[in-house]
mmCIF file of all heavy atoms in Angstrom:
data_model
loop_
_atom_site.group_PDB
_atom_site.id
_atom_site.type_symbol
_atom_site.label_atom_id
_atom_site.label_comp_id
_atom_site.label_asym_id
_atom_site.label_seq_id
_atom_site.Cartn_x
_atom_site.Cartn_y
_atom_site.Cartn_z
ATOM 1 N N PRO A 97 40.845 -18.558 5.666
ATOM 2 C CA PRO A 97 40.157 -19.820 5.359
ATOM 3 C C PRO A 97 38.722 -19.878 5.889
ATOM 4 O O PRO A 97 37.843 -20.447 5.234
ATOM 5 C CB PRO A 97 41.040 -20.875 6.037
ATOM 6 C CG PRO A 97 42.399 -20.270 6.060
ATOM 7 C CD PRO A 97 42.162 -18.807 6.308
ATOM 8 N N LEU A 100 36.403 -18.246 3.513
ATOM 9 C CA LEU A 100 36.198 -19.101 2.335
ATOM 10 C C LEU A 100 35.206 -20.211 2.648
ATOM 11 O O LEU A 100 34.275 -20.469 1.867
ATOM 12 C CB LEU A 100 37.529 -19.687 1.879
ATOM 13 C CG LEU A 100 37.456 -20.679 0.711
ATOM 14 C CD1 LEU A 100 37.002 -19.975 -0.565
ATOM 15 C CD2 LEU A 100 38.799 -21.377 0.499
ATOM 16 N N LEU A 115 41.902 -14.856 -2.894
ATOM 17 C CA LEU A 115 42.271 -15.322 -1.559
ATOM 18 C C LEU A 115 43.525 -14.613 -1.068
ATOM 19 O O LEU A 115 44.485 -14.429 -1.833
ATOM 20 C CB LEU A 115 42.527 -16.833 -1.569
ATOM 21 C CG LEU A 115 41.456 -17.715 -2.226
ATOM 22 C CD1 LEU A 115 41.880 -19.181 -2.153
ATOM 23 C CD2 LEU A 115 40.105 -17.504 -1.559
ATOM 24 N N SER A 117 46.507 -15.268 0.402
ATOM 25 C CA SER A 117 47.288 -16.481 0.657
ATOM 26 C C SER A 117 48.125 -16.361 1.924
ATOM 27 O O SER A 117 48.498 -17.374 2.527
ATOM 28 C CB SER A 117 48.196 -16.787 -0.541
ATOM 29 O OG SER A 117 49.087 -15.701 -0.786
ATOM 30 N N PHE A 120 46.417 -18.180 4.665
ATOM 31 C CA PHE A 120 46.113 -19.590 4.449
ATOM 32 C C PHE A 120 47.282 -20.432 4.950
ATOM 33 O O PHE A 120 48.200 -20.784 4.206
ATOM 34 C CB PHE A 120 45.811 -19.850 2.969
ATOM 35 C CG PHE A 120 44.389 -19.511 2.590
ATOM 36 C CD1 PHE A 120 43.950 -18.196 2.611
ATOM 37 C CD2 PHE A 120 43.485 -20.496 2.240
ATOM 38 C CE1 PHE A 120 42.646 -17.869 2.279
ATOM 39 C CE2 PHE A 120 42.170 -20.184 1.915
ATOM 40 C CZ PHE A 120 41.746 -18.858 1.937
ATOM 41 N N ASN A 121 47.233 -20.756 6.247
ATOM 42 C CA ASN A 121 48.274 -21.565 6.864
ATOM 43 C C ASN A 121 47.622 -22.622 7.748
ATOM 44 O O ASN A 121 46.414 -22.611 7.964
ATOM 45 C CB ASN A 121 49.228 -20.679 7.680
ATOM 46 C CG ASN A 121 48.494 -19.788 8.672
ATOM 47 O OD1 ASN A 121 47.666 -20.261 9.457
ATOM 48 N ND2 ASN A 121 48.791 -18.478 8.644
ATOM 49 N N GLU A 122 48.434 -23.536 8.244
ATOM 50 C CA GLU A 122 47.911 -24.679 8.988
ATOM 51 C C GLU A 122 47.119 -24.250 10.224
ATOM 52 O O GLU A 122 46.091 -24.839 10.561
ATOM 53 C CB GLU A 122 49.067 -25.602 9.408
ATOM 54 C CG GLU A 122 49.737 -26.323 8.251
ATOM 55 C CD GLU A 122 48.754 -27.212 7.494
ATOM 56 O OE1 GLU A 122 47.835 -27.791 8.127
ATOM 57 O OE2 GLU A 122 48.887 -27.321 6.265
ATOM 58 N N PHE A 125 43.787 -23.054 9.029
ATOM 59 C CA PHE A 125 42.986 -24.177 8.519
ATOM 60 C C PHE A 125 42.311 -24.898 9.687
ATOM 61 O O PHE A 125 41.129 -25.248 9.625
ATOM 62 C CB PHE A 125 43.856 -25.168 7.742
ATOM 63 C CG PHE A 125 44.402 -24.638 6.451
ATOM 64 C CD1 PHE A 125 45.625 -25.087 5.958
ATOM 65 C CD2 PHE A 125 43.703 -23.691 5.716
ATOM 66 C CE1 PHE A 125 46.134 -24.611 4.768
ATOM 67 C CE2 PHE A 125 44.205 -23.207 4.519
ATOM 68 C CZ PHE A 125 45.427 -23.662 4.048
ATOM 69 N N TYR A 130 39.073 -26.939 8.581
ATOM 70 C CA TYR A 130 39.570 -27.656 7.398
ATOM 71 C C TYR A 130 40.549 -28.749 7.834
ATOM 72 O O TYR A 130 41.436 -28.518 8.663
ATOM 73 C CB TYR A 130 40.309 -26.702 6.462
ATOM 74 C CG TYR A 130 39.422 -25.894 5.539
ATOM 75 C CD1 TYR A 130 39.406 -24.503 5.610
ATOM 76 C CD2 TYR A 130 38.630 -26.515 4.579
ATOM 77 C CE1 TYR A 130 38.616 -23.742 4.746
ATOM 78 C CE2 TYR A 130 37.831 -25.772 3.724
ATOM 79 C CZ TYR A 130 37.826 -24.393 3.813
ATOM 80 O OH TYR A 130 37.044 -23.654 2.956
ATOM 81 N N ARG A 131 40.410 -29.933 7.259
ATOM 82 C CA ARG A 131 41.355 -31.019 7.541
ATOM 83 C C ARG A 131 42.521 -31.011 6.573
ATOM 84 O O ARG A 131 43.538 -31.677 6.803
ATOM 85 C CB ARG A 131 40.635 -32.360 7.477
ATOM 86 C CG ARG A 131 39.584 -32.532 8.571
ATOM 87 C CD ARG A 131 39.000 -33.924 8.556
ATOM 88 N NE ARG A 131 38.048 -34.118 9.656
ATOM 89 C CZ ARG A 131 37.418 -35.252 9.906
ATOM 90 N NH1 ARG A 131 37.641 -36.314 9.122
ATOM 91 N NH2 ARG A 131 36.578 -35.337 10.922
ATOM 92 N N SER A 132 42.360 -30.286 5.470
ATOM 93 C CA SER A 132 43.441 -30.164 4.486
ATOM 94 C C SER A 132 43.338 -28.800 3.834
ATOM 95 O O SER A 132 42.341 -28.080 4.012
ATOM 96 C CB SER A 132 43.345 -31.279 3.434
ATOM 97 O OG SER A 132 42.099 -31.205 2.748
ATOM 98 N N ASP A 133 44.342 -28.453 3.076
ATOM 99 C CA ASP A 133 44.369 -27.164 2.382
ATOM 100 C C ASP A 133 43.364 -27.188 1.234
ATOM 101 O O ASP A 133 43.522 -27.973 0.283
ATOM 102 C CB ASP A 133 45.775 -26.906 1.849
ATOM 103 C CG ASP A 133 45.932 -25.508 1.267
ATOM 104 O OD1 ASP A 133 44.914 -24.880 0.934
ATOM 105 O OD2 ASP A 133 47.088 -25.068 1.127
ATOM 106 N N PRO A 134 42.306 -26.379 1.270
ATOM 107 C CA PRO A 134 41.283 -26.431 0.212
ATOM 108 C C PRO A 134 41.828 -26.022 -1.153
ATOM 109 O O PRO A 134 41.229 -26.354 -2.177
ATOM 110 C CB PRO A 134 40.227 -25.440 0.710
ATOM 111 C CG PRO A 134 40.958 -24.516 1.619
ATOM 112 C CD PRO A 134 42.007 -25.354 2.283
ATOM 113 N N ARG A 135 42.957 -25.339 -1.166
ATOM 114 C CA ARG A 135 43.526 -24.921 -2.455
ATOM 115 C C ARG A 135 44.161 -26.074 -3.221
ATOM 116 O O ARG A 135 44.325 -25.990 -4.442
ATOM 117 C CB ARG A 135 44.571 -23.826 -2.228
ATOM 118 C CG ARG A 135 44.032 -22.564 -1.559
ATOM 119 C CD ARG A 135 45.163 -21.640 -1.147
ATOM 120 N NE ARG A 135 46.044 -22.271 -0.170
ATOM 121 C CZ ARG A 135 47.181 -21.729 0.272
ATOM 122 N NH1 ARG A 135 47.569 -20.550 -0.176
ATOM 123 N NH2 ARG A 135 47.914 -22.369 1.175
ATOM 124 N N SER A 136 44.490 -27.155 -2.487
ATOM 125 C CA SER A 136 45.213 -28.254 -3.133
ATOM 126 C C SER A 136 44.499 -29.598 -3.039
ATOM 127 O O SER A 136 44.998 -30.597 -3.563
ATOM 128 C CB SER A 136 46.604 -28.385 -2.511
ATOM 129 O OG SER A 136 46.505 -28.607 -1.109
ATOM 130 N N ASP A 137 43.349 -29.653 -2.373
ATOM 131 C CA ASP A 137 42.675 -30.947 -2.219
ATOM 132 C C ASP A 137 41.514 -31.145 -3.192
ATOM 133 O O ASP A 137 40.722 -32.076 -3.054
ATOM 134 C CB ASP A 137 42.188 -31.118 -0.772
ATOM 135 C CG ASP A 137 41.093 -30.114 -0.392
ATOM 136 O OD1 ASP A 137 40.656 -29.335 -1.262
ATOM 137 O OD2 ASP A 137 40.674 -30.102 0.792
ATOM 138 N N GLY A 138 41.381 -30.247 -4.164
ATOM 139 C CA GLY A 138 40.330 -30.375 -5.173
ATOM 140 C C GLY A 138 39.038 -29.653 -4.831
ATOM 141 O O GLY A 138 38.102 -29.630 -5.642
ATOM 142 N N SER A 139 38.977 -29.036 -3.657
ATOM 143 C CA SER A 139 37.743 -28.375 -3.230
ATOM 144 C C SER A 139 37.363 -27.193 -4.121
ATOM 145 O O SER A 139 36.192 -26.825 -4.212
ATOM 146 C CB SER A 139 37.876 -27.879 -1.785
ATOM 147 O OG SER A 139 38.165 -28.935 -0.913
ATOM 148 N N LEU A 140 38.362 -26.605 -4.766
ATOM 149 C CA LEU A 140 38.118 -25.367 -5.511
ATOM 150 C C LEU A 140 38.210 -25.557 -7.017
ATOM 151 O O LEU A 140 38.320 -24.584 -7.772
ATOM 152 C CB LEU A 140 39.117 -24.282 -5.062
ATOM 153 C CG LEU A 140 39.210 -24.032 -3.541
ATOM 154 C CD1 LEU A 140 40.193 -22.904 -3.251
ATOM 155 C CD2 LEU A 140 37.840 -23.713 -2.956
ATOM 156 N N GLU A 147 45.367 -16.262 -5.993
ATOM 157 C CA GLU A 147 45.986 -16.160 -4.672
ATOM 158 C C GLU A 147 46.933 -14.967 -4.655
ATOM 159 O O GLU A 147 47.805 -14.839 -5.509
ATOM 160 C CB GLU A 147 46.755 -17.432 -4.337
ATOM 161 C CG GLU A 147 45.890 -18.678 -4.223
ATOM 162 C CD GLU A 147 46.702 -19.884 -3.784
ATOM 163 O OE1 GLU A 147 47.405 -19.758 -2.754
ATOM 164 O OE2 GLU A 147 46.648 -20.906 -4.468
#
Side-chain angles (χ1 to χ4, degrees):
L100 176 66
L115 311 180
S117 59
F120 278 67
N121 52 51
E122 291 300 326
F125 292 150
Y130 278 118
R131 294 186 177 182
S132 60
D133 187 340
R135 300 170 298 174
S136 58
D137 66 4
S139 302
L140 308 182
E147 296 184 52

